[in-house]
Amino acid sequence: PTGATFENYVKLFTERDFLLWMQNSALVAFAVTITGVFFASTAGYGFSRFRFMGKRFGLLTLLTTQMFPATMLLLPMYIMLINLGLINTYFGVIIVYSATALPFCIWTMKGYYDTIPISLEEAARIDGCSHFGAFMRVILPLAAPALVITALFSFMTAWSEYLVASQILQDTL
């Protein structure tokens, strides 16, 4: 192009609230990432290691929710957020993004935990660790690659989504 200038970039940073918008997006994306990693790592571990009534139904439900796009769930989520008083709040957006990212993240973590031998956990339990201690000291460090993938997926889910946020956040924050 001829006559290329930085004039539009100057307008973006001086006449618009671009840095505020970036800060809002980063705040929501990091909160969704932390939430996604925490819940996916614990729920995936539970589905992988424990036997309980409803386990198969829970996994099937998580798999079924992946068939529906977030835009299809927008109206029911919007109604729930209205009833909870969370429209136009960061917390409302974080809940919706986390709810849409968690099923895939839980399946990812469950699949990775299935590849870690139970004998490592048993050895930790023999050495005096509780279930939680074995999880924190043995399983989580071994699951670091899956935790990174879960974090990246959660972040990208929140960072690259606009339609849901534009409906939930109707006012400028």
Side-chain angles (χ1 to χ4, degrees):
T2 59
T5 66
F6 289 104
E7 181 181 337
N8 289 329
Y9 289 106
V10 171
K11 285 182 182 179
L12 179 67
F13 287 105
T14 58
E15 296 177 14
R16 302 284 183 194
D17 293 329
F18 180 73
L19 294 177
L20 175 65
W21 301 334
M22 289 292 289
Q23 177 185 347
N24 291 344
S25 295
L27 175 74
V28 169
F30 282 120
V32 170
T33 301
I34 298 298
T35 305
V37 168
F38 175 76
F39 286 119
S41 64
T42 53
Y45 180 76
F47 279 119
S48 175
R49 293 293 197 247
F50 299 112
R51 292 183 183 175
F52 54 90
M53 191 169 38
K55 174 180 174 178
R56 194 170 176 179
F57 177 74
L59 288 171
L60 186 61
T61 301
L62 288 173
L63 187 61
T64 304
T65 60
Q66 290 299 290
M67 295 188 317
F68 303 110
T71 53
M72 188 175 145
L73 303 173
L74 188 59
L75 182 61
M77 286 187 196
Y78 186 80
I79 291 170
M80 285 190 307
L81 291 176
I82 287 174
N83 291 334
L84 294 171
L86 296 175
I87 294 294
N88 290 324
T89 64
Y90 292 125
F91 192 58
V93 176
I94 290 168
I95 288 173
V96 171
Y97 285 163
S98 296
T100 57
L102 267 175
F104 178 77
C105 293
I106 291 171
W107 264 101
T108 302
M109 292 305 300
K110 183 223 178 282
Y112 197 84
Y113 289 140
D114 287 345
T115 66
I116 298 173
I118 295 175
S119 60
L120 294 173
E121 249 178 291
E122 292 170 349
R125 299 266 304 143
I126 289 171
D127 287 342
C129 283
S130 63
H131 276 294
F132 182 73
F135 173 68
M136 292 298 291
R137 293 183 180 150
V138 176
I139 302 302
L140 272 185
L142 291 173
L147 292 171
V148 169
I149 294 301
T150 298
L152 286 173
F153 181 78
S154 295
F155 184 85
M156 291 306 297
T157 298
W159 185 261
S160 63
E161 212 292 318
Y162 173 73
L163 183 61
V164 174
S166 69
Q167 296 304 309
I168 296 171
L169 299 174
Q170 297 172 352
D171 294 337
T172 304
L173 294 177

